[in-house]
């Protein structure tokens, strides 16, 4: 399906000319090769998926070529655990934004405004395509306590988007692995001194024909800077093989996608839940976190969200196992870009909208708190209770040895377990299926297997014990609650 992200990407010519690209010299390539050869992070004994990969097509088509999951000519490269990387690691739940203040509006005050609204990281964009601007924004992010994922750096684009990586010099529009390393080293060395650098955005919405080159690019990143997060965001799609192939071929550290469900005239995208279900499946398949973008603005055939609809997107995503939330967009894209973008959290002129304050409320009073609880857990099931007919791609509620019934209004229930196999406790995120009306439901538990019930209170960041009996739940439009079932 169509995605508005494409209209916000810079053109190839703008990157090649406007960012001041320079040709690789033979000396630079030799130096890069020498650096790679001596890199301590590369180890022939490391267990990682490796293979050959042919250059892929940038268009969305059938997958071609074999996966190059770890090796780019220097031995297998370890795929770091997401637990060890910026944003995916640590206890804090990552909340990010795309389309930050443009370069002229990039000030300490503006980045402080981002931090005050409960954001943790920024994906660069909005005409920031120059190394000096990136370094300036990295400094602002550092001072504000934010992380940054750098998009549109010419070096990274040349190794991961505009050219394929190939050992065959006859491949059209390709760079060699040595040249790709030299490009990556330039970017790493230019921005690496900033503590705010979380990693690089290698490609926004690649077609499957590009996965083989992205596998090589991510392997180079892990070889030369294993401490940085290699980030890729995927298309919205109803094709499960698109996401599975990405996980299997590229060996990503996370799976991120965008799909905006709030259509004009009050409609919902009928396949929103289906898309989430197949992304969730791919994330579990790869044992990696899933991230999602939520819609903050109106654009072609999509409506302007209410505060409840922002919250609804967040909570539905949490129920489906999201381990990171990103807002599309923060700053409003100007009208000249097309797509009919309406005001986002901040207008084109820099004014805060009601959605800025709604996002701040969500981030600072709910999402950070409940996210810390859910981040270390594993999504076990996601079910729709009391909803007829079921939306495409969803599963109806089925009773378990812990939960004997869920009655009342329609809710979406995500069930989570600990990574500790010895624990039989379960967590239930119960989200209102509606973003416009209050939901009242009752969760009944099996008193023979459930020893105690706790209801999470974000303000106190603790579970308040309840009597082991049916739990009545009342949810405002778009809201959710988190229950912990401690087993006997």
């Amino acid at each position: 399906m169509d995605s508005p992200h494409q209209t916000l990407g810079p053109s190839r010519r703008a990157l090649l000319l406007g960012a001041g690209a320079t040709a690789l010299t033979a000396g630079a390539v030799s130096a890069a090769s020498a650096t790679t050869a001596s890199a301590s992070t590369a180890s022939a004994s490391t267990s990682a998926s490796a293979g050959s990969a042919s250059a892929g097509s940038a268009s969305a088509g059938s997958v071609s070529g074999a996966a190059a999951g770890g090796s780019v000519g220097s031995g297998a490269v370890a795929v770091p655990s997401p637990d060890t990387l910026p944003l995916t690691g640590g206890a804090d739940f990552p909340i990010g934004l795309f389309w930050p203040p443009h370069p002229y509006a990039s000030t300490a005050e503006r980045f402080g405004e981002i931090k005050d609204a409960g954001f943790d990281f920024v994906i660069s964009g909005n005409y920031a395509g120059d190394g000096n601007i990136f370094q300036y924004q990295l400094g602002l992010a550092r001072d504000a306590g934010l992380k940054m994922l750098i998009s549109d750096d010419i070096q990274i684009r040349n190794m991961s988007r505009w050219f394929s990586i190939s050992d065959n010099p006859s491949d059209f529009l390709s760079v060699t692995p040595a040249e790709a390393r030299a490009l990556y080293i330039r970017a790493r060395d230019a921005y690496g001194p900033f503590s705010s650098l979380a990693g690089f955005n290698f490609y926004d919405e690649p077609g499957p024909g590009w996965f083989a080159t992205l596998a090589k690019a991510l392997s180079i990143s892990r070889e030369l800077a294993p401490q940085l997060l290699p980030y890729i965001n995927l298309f919205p799609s109803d094709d499960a093989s698109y996401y599975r192939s990405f996980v299997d071929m590229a060996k990503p550290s996370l799976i991120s996608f965008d799909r905006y469900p709030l259509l004009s005239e009050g409609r919902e995208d009928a396949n929103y839940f289906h898309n989430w279900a197949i992304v969730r499946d791919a994330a579990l398949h790869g044992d990696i976190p899933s991230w999602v973008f939520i819609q903050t603005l109106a654009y072609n055939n999509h409506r302007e969200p209410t505060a409840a609809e922002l919250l609804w997107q967040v909570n539905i995503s949490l129920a489906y196992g999201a381990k990171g939330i990103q807002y599309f967009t923060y700053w409003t894209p100007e009208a000249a870009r097309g797509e009919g973008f309406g005001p986002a959290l901040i207008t084109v002129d820099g004014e805060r909208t009601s959605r800025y304050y709604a996002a701040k409320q969500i981030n600072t009073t709910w999402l950070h708190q409940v996210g810390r609880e859910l981040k270390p857990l594993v999504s076990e099931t996601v079910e729709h209770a009391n909803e007829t007919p079921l939306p495409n791609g969803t599963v109806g509620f089925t009773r378990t040895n812990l939960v004997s019934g869920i009655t009342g209004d329609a809710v979406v229930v995500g069930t989570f377990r600990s990574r500790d196999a010895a624990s039989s406790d379960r967590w239930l995120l119960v989200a209102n299926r509606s973003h416009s009306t209050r939901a009242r439901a009752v969760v009944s538990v099996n008193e023979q297997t459930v020893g105690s019930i706790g209801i999470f209170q974000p303000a106190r960041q603790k579970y308040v014990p309840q009597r082991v009996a049916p739990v009545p739940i009342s949810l405002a439009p778009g809201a959710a609650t988190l229950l912990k079932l401690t087993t006997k």
Side-chain angles (χ1 to χ4, degrees):
M1 64 178 293
D2 293 337
S3 169
H5 284 225
Q6 294 296 313
T7 66
L8 298 184
S11 70
R12 177 173 182 159
R13 181 174 179 82
L15 282 172
L16 291 175
L17 298 180
T22 56
L24 281 174
T25 65
V29 173
S30 299
S33 299
T35 300
T36 299
S38 63
S40 60
T41 55
S43 171
S45 63
T46 303
S47 175
S49 174
S52 61
S54 61
S57 166
S59 62
S62 61
V63 176
S64 61
S71 176
V72 194
S74 60
V77 177
V79 177
S81 166
D83 294 340
T84 67
L85 296 171
L87 303 178
T88 55
D92 291 334
F93 187 92
I95 306 174
L97 60 87
F98 180 62
W99 216 244
H102 57 75
Y104 287 112
S106 291
T107 63
E109 291 74 20
R110 285 298 187 185
F111 274 64
E113 184 176 48
I114 293 171
K115 183 66 175 178
D116 288 345
F119 290 99
D120 305 300
F121 71 97
V122 172
I123 303 171
S124 67
N126 201 355
Y127 299 103
D130 175 85
N132 291 324
I133 296 173
F134 290 143
Q135 290 178 334
Y136 174 66
Q137 290 181 329
L138 282 165
L140 294 175
R142 175 198 60 211
D143 295 344
L146 296 165
K147 293 288 188 181
M148 281 193 70
L149 291 168
I150 298 295
S151 297
D152 304 330
D153 173 75
I154 187 61
Q155 323 299 337
I156 300 299
R157 282 293 189 252
N158 279 342
M159 69 173 287
S160 65
R161 180 165 184 167
W162 303 135
F163 302 94
S164 63
I165 301 174
S166 174
D167 289 303
N168 185 353
S170 66
D171 282 343
F172 181 62
L173 289 177
S174 67
V175 296
T176 67
E179 289 171 328
R181 288 189 187 92
L183 290 166
Y184 188 85
I185 288 169
R186 288 181 181 178
R188 180 202 64 186
D189 292 351
Y191 313 121
F194 290 89
S195 59
S196 51
L197 177 66
F200 294 103
N201 180 3
F202 280 79
Y203 205 126
D204 190 33
E205 300 183 330
W210 208 253
F211 292 168
T213 277
L214 288 172
K216 295 179 181 182
L218 266 58
S219 184
I220 289 171
S221 170
R222 289 161 174 157
E223 185 179 358
L224 299 175
Q227 78 281 6
L228 295 180
L229 175 66
Y231 172 90
I232 298 166
N233 178 63
L234 300 179
F235 275 117
S237 177
D238 299 314
D239 180 5
S241 65
Y242 171 63
Y243 299 102
R244 274 291 188 108
S245 296
F246 174 70
V247 170
D248 289 338
M249 294 183 70
K251 300 293 187 293
S253 296
L254 62 90
I255 183 168
S256 172
F257 80 110
D258 55 86
R259 186 157 191 154
Y260 305 117
L262 305 172
L263 307 181
S264 58
E265 300 174 349
R267 298 171 297 135
E268 284 182 8
D269 183 336
N271 285 327
Y272 178 64
F273 298 113
H274 178 243
N275 201 158
W276 238 129
I278 59 180
V279 168
R280 173 183 172 273
D281 177 76
L284 291 173
H285 169 70
D287 193 22
I288 55 176
S290 57
W291 289 9
V292 69
F293 280 93
I294 69 167
Q295 173 186 342
T296 70
L297 42 60
Y299 68 96
N300 288 354
N301 299 316
H302 289 70
R303 68 180 180 271
E304 181 177 282
T306 65
E309 288 171 337
L310 290 180
L311 181 61
W312 179 82
Q313 292 178 82
V314 166
N315 284 326
I316 292 297
S317 298
L318 292 177
Y320 272 81
K323 304 299 184 184
I325 294 290
Q326 305 155 100
Y327 286 71
F328 179 89
T329 62
Y330 180 76
W331 202 274
T332 303
E334 75 282 4
R337 299 198 71 101
E339 290 286 332
F341 288 114
L345 304 190
I346 305 291
T347 68
V348 172
D349 298 324
E351 298 297 324
R352 300 177 185 179
T353 69
S354 61
R355 283 169 301 290
Y356 171 87
Y357 296 102
K360 179 177 181 178
Q361 177 78 6
I362 293 167
N363 295 345
T364 60
T365 68
W366 170 249
L367 183 51
H368 268 303
Q369 292 83 353
V370 75
R372 285 180 65 94
E373 299 298 313
L374 294 174
K375 189 177 182 182
L377 303 178
V378 179
S379 175
E380 187 172 60
T381 63
V382 58
E383 298 171 324
H384 289 233
N386 311 318
E387 184 172 8
T388 304
L390 286 170
N392 183 38
T394 66
V395 176
F397 169 75
T398 302
R399 62 185 300 166
T400 69
N401 69 321
L402 298 180
V403 182
S404 57
I406 301 177
T407 58
D409 296 325
V411 290
V412 180
V413 183
T415 302
F416 301 84
R417 62 173 175 82
S418 170
R419 286 192 175 273
D420 181 359
S423 173
S424 57
D425 296 342
R426 292 297 185 270
W427 289 256
L428 272 62
L429 185 86
V430 183
N432 191 341
R433 171 62 180 87
S434 174
H435 40 65
S436 59
T437 61
R438 178 172 289 275
R440 292 178 173 83
V442 175
V443 177
S444 299
V445 300
N446 183 346
E447 297 183 22
Q448 303 303 312
T449 57
V450 176
S452 64
I453 302 173
I455 298 181
F456 182 66
Q457 291 193 350
R460 300 170 64 186
Q461 299 188 53
K462 63 180 296 185
Y463 292 89
V464 177
Q466 304 292 305
R467 185 168 57 90
V468 180
V471 179
I473 295 173
S474 180
L475 300 170
T481 192
L482 178 63
L483 308 178
K484 181 178 180 181
L485 308 183
T486 302
T487 57
K488 290 183 176 178

